[in-house]
Amino acid sequence: MANLQLTHASILNSSAQLLILPVNNAGVVLDPVLTRAKTLFPDNYHRYHCACRDGSLSVGSCLLHKRAREQAGLGISSNGNQPSYIANLVISNHPYHHIRKRWLIAALIDLQQQMMPLIRYQGIRRVALLARPLISSNPRDMTPNENDGTRTLALDWEADTLALLTEYLQDLPKLRVDIHLPKNISL
């Protein structure tokens, strides 16, 4: 059973073996932490951006990236606090569009299925999830549903999003999941 912890610490200073970064499938990065991750992990961003550009990344999926070890001087560096894996959790079709519950559920199921072999065979025990892109600034904003003309409510952090994260990540065995929240959200 996974141990979920809420924290205000910076995700980019985390010692997690796997980072979960919520992204969109338009390839547009607006969140300041995601922008910094783009420069810190250019191999991940390149793969993510290429998948967005060629249309192979769909909303409700997870693009798992195994990071290559970086060369430093005469030997291979230990990469310090650098994660071995980055999971790009595709939660929307554009950064200005709200997350839909079905998209988040599908992405979490895909993440869960891809993480099981990593936990079993690669020894992944520490995971860090960036929560800021999952939090709506005004959770009860109405957005039009492009499929049937109805309007959809944005997800509420505590009632919807945190409950889904707990439901889908809690069953992963022997895992610590640090959920990194912005400072304006109470723990």
Side-chain angles (χ1 to χ4, degrees), residues 6-77:
L6 300 176
T7 181
H8 287 292
S10 170
I11 191 169
L12 299 176
N13 294 332
S14 168
S15 62
Q17 298 164 292
L18 180 136
L19 288 184
I20 302 171
L21 303 175
V23 295
N24 57 69
N25 73 340
V28 179
V29 177
L30 298 179
D31 185 270
V33 177
L34 291 176
T35 304
R36 182 73 178 122
K38 173 180 160 179
T39 57
L40 283 175
F41 313 119
D43 54 338
N44 175 64
Y45 179 74
H46 178 71
R47 184 166 178 224
Y48 158 69
H49 190 69
C50 288
C52 291
R53 201 174 33 198
D54 68 21
S56 64
L57 199 59
S58 62
V59 179
S61 65
C62 179
L63 175 67
L64 187 66
H65 175 70
K66 180 173 177 24
R67 299 201 58 242
R69 287 287 182 195
E70 297 168 0
Q71 299 291 328
L74 298 173
I76 297 175
S77 72

Side-chain angles (χ1 to χ4, degrees), residues 51 60 69 175 186:
R69 287 287 182 195
L175 197 64
S186 62

Side-chain angles (χ1 to χ4, degrees), residues 16-161:
Q17 298 164 292
L18 180 136
L19 288 184
I20 302 171
L21 303 175
V23 295
N24 57 69
N25 73 340
V28 179
V29 177
L30 298 179
D31 185 270
V33 177
L34 291 176
T35 304
R36 182 73 178 122
K38 173 180 160 179
T39 57
L40 283 175
F41 313 119
D43 54 338
N44 175 64
Y45 179 74
H46 178 71
R47 184 166 178 224
Y48 158 69
H49 190 69
C50 288
C52 291
R53 201 174 33 198
D54 68 21
S56 64
L57 199 59
S58 62
V59 179
S61 65
C62 179
L63 175 67
L64 187 66
H65 175 70
K66 180 173 177 24
R67 299 201 58 242
R69 287 287 182 195
E70 297 168 0
Q71 299 291 328
L74 298 173
I76 297 175
S77 72
S78 66
N79 282 350
N81 286 344
Q82 301 258 330
S84 300
Y85 295 89
I86 298 177
N88 298 285
L89 199 64
V90 186
I91 55 163
S92 71
N93 55 3
H94 195 276
Y96 292 124
H97 295 172
H98 289 297
I99 305 162
R100 299 236 173 87
K101 191 173 186 174
R102 62 185 163 93
W103 291 344
L104 182 57
I105 290 171
L108 288 171
I109 290 171
D110 193 17
L111 171 69
Q112 191 179 43
Q113 291 170 347
Q114 291 186 52
M115 281 182 60
M116 286 307 290
L118 296 178
I119 294 167
R120 284 189 183 133
Y121 306 118
Q122 302 300 318
I124 298 293
R125 297 290 176 254
R126 283 204 66 159
V127 175
L129 180 133
L130 177 63
R132 187 189 341 234
L134 298 170
I135 300 169
S136 174
S137 58
N138 191 353
R140 292 302 164 204
D141 279 346
M142 297 289 277
T143 56
N145 186 344
E146 62 268 357
N147 294 338
D148 57 10
T150 62
R151 297 178 82 63
T152 308
L153 284 176
L155 297 180
D156 179 61
W157 165 246
E158 288 188 22
D160 302 318
T161 310

